[in-house]
Amino acid sequence: MIKKLYSAIDKNSDSQTDLLLIKDWICAVLHTAGTADFKNISPWVSATAGDERYKTAYFFGMGYFPFSRRNAQINKRFVIFDTWVNKNEEHHIYERTQYLIDSFRRLGLPWYNDKHHEIMLKYAIYPHRLIGYYYFENDNLLYYKVNPHYFEYINDDAHFAIGDDISIDQSSVIFPADNPYNVIYSRSGMSFDVYDRR
């Protein structure tokens, strides 16, 4: 595996885009491995967009994977975040895992098949894209909590729909600087997004 990685770096050393993809591959390997030291600095947030997205998220949250050979301990409490992405922001705010897999394989780096229709969010789930969350305890759904800011917009605008931008005052948000990524955030009104990354 190390030889394949070195070979991919050597072959693509003139392409900044491909070197970033190789960096993404390394981060994806560490993210998937669930390494404790990497967990808090992973640039990826795993999500799913398939028809079975709720079921898939539920099994991952529970820690039970009937669709794989990997079985972790069952989690007594967990949440499933309900969020959305703007399709125009692909390669900027998120990547479809299938795109990453195809790109990695083109560079000679192996990866699993995308059987969960994953989307990899970059760096964060932003509060203005968070619709709400499901809260589970002892394998029971106790409640679904809606982002209260969405109520404000729904009550004020009869035409408001999920996917419309909302503003949330995030002026007091402090983004952590103790990570290995140079991320440039942009502010539009009272919302933050990733502007660029290095």
Side-chain angles (χ1 to χ4, degrees), residues 98-162:
Q98 189 58 55
Y99 165 79
L100 289 173
I101 292 167
D102 293 343
S103 300
F104 294 160
R105 289 178 179 171
R106 176 181 57 79
L107 297 172
L109 299 170
W111 201 253
Y112 307 100
N113 291 327
D114 180 28
K115 55 186 171 183
H116 305 305
H117 303 283
E118 278 191 89
I119 288 179
M120 302 302 289
L121 305 175
K122 293 181 180 179
Y123 307 111
I125 295 174
Y126 295 106
H128 55 285
R129 299 280 175 90
L130 180 64
I131 302 163
Y133 66 89
Y134 300 87
Y135 177 78
F136 289 86
E137 205 167 286
N138 297 319
D139 199 23
N140 291 308
L141 173 62
L142 293 190
Y143 58 82
Y144 179 87
K145 174 79 173 173
V146 177
N147 183 339
H149 297 282
Y150 274 83
F151 278 127
E152 296 170 21
Y153 282 83
I154 291 168
N155 289 334
D156 293 344
D157 181 358
H159 301 291
F160 177 79
I162 300 301

Side-chain angles (χ1 to χ4, degrees), residues 32-178:
T32 304
T35 310
D37 291 339
F38 188 72
K39 188 175 182 181
N40 292 330
I41 61 168
S42 175
W44 299 115
V45 178
S46 295
T48 183
D51 291 338
E52 305 246 329
R53 60 187 174 271
Y54 178 86
K55 180 179 177 184
T56 301
Y58 167 80
F59 282 128
F60 273 96
M62 186 185 218
Y64 173 67
F65 309 106
F67 34 70
S68 78
R69 286 178 282 170
R70 187 177 91 184
N71 279 309
Q73 81 178 50
I74 303 301
N75 297 317
K76 294 192 183 288
R77 289 184 290 278
F78 64 93
V79 296
I80 297 174
F81 291 110
D82 192 1
T83 188
W84 61 274
V85 295
N86 184 330
K87 288 184 179 181
N88 297 329
E89 294 175 336
E90 186 175 359
H91 310 307
H92 190 65
I93 300 296
Y94 74 94
E95 297 286 6
R96 284 177 301 107
T97 302
Q98 189 58 55
Y99 165 79
L100 289 173
I101 292 167
D102 293 343
S103 300
F104 294 160
R105 289 178 179 171
R106 176 181 57 79
L107 297 172
L109 299 170
W111 201 253
Y112 307 100
N113 291 327
D114 180 28
K115 55 186 171 183
H116 305 305
H117 303 283
E118 278 191 89
I119 288 179
M120 302 302 289
L121 305 175
K122 293 181 180 179
Y123 307 111
I125 295 174
Y126 295 106
H128 55 285
R129 299 280 175 90
L130 180 64
I131 302 163
Y133 66 89
Y134 300 87
Y135 177 78
F136 289 86
E137 205 167 286
N138 297 319
D139 199 23
N140 291 308
L141 173 62
L142 293 190
Y143 58 82
Y144 179 87
K145 174 79 173 173
V146 177
N147 183 339
H149 297 282
Y150 274 83
F151 278 127
E152 296 170 21
Y153 282 83
I154 291 168
N155 289 334
D156 293 344
D157 181 358
H159 301 291
F160 177 79
I162 300 301
D164 291 347
D165 283 320
I166 69 170
S167 292
I168 298 175
D169 185 359
Q170 298 171 61
S171 56
S172 63
V173 173
I174 298 170
F175 289 101
D178 58 342

Side-chain angles (χ1 to χ4, degrees), residues 8-60:
I9 292 169
D10 288 341
K11 278 193 247 177
N12 300 284
S13 61
D14 293 334
S15 169
Q16 190 69 18
T17 302
D18 286 349
L19 288 176
L20 266 176
L21 281 166
I22 292 168
K23 180 181 175 183
D24 285 345
W25 180 84
I26 294 168
C27 291
V29 168
L30 294 169
H31 174 89
T32 304
T35 310
D37 291 339
F38 188 72
K39 188 175 182 181
N40 292 330
I41 61 168
S42 175
W44 299 115
V45 178
S46 295
T48 183
D51 291 338
E52 305 246 329
R53 60 187 174 271
Y54 178 86
K55 180 179 177 184
T56 301
Y58 167 80
F59 282 128
F60 273 96

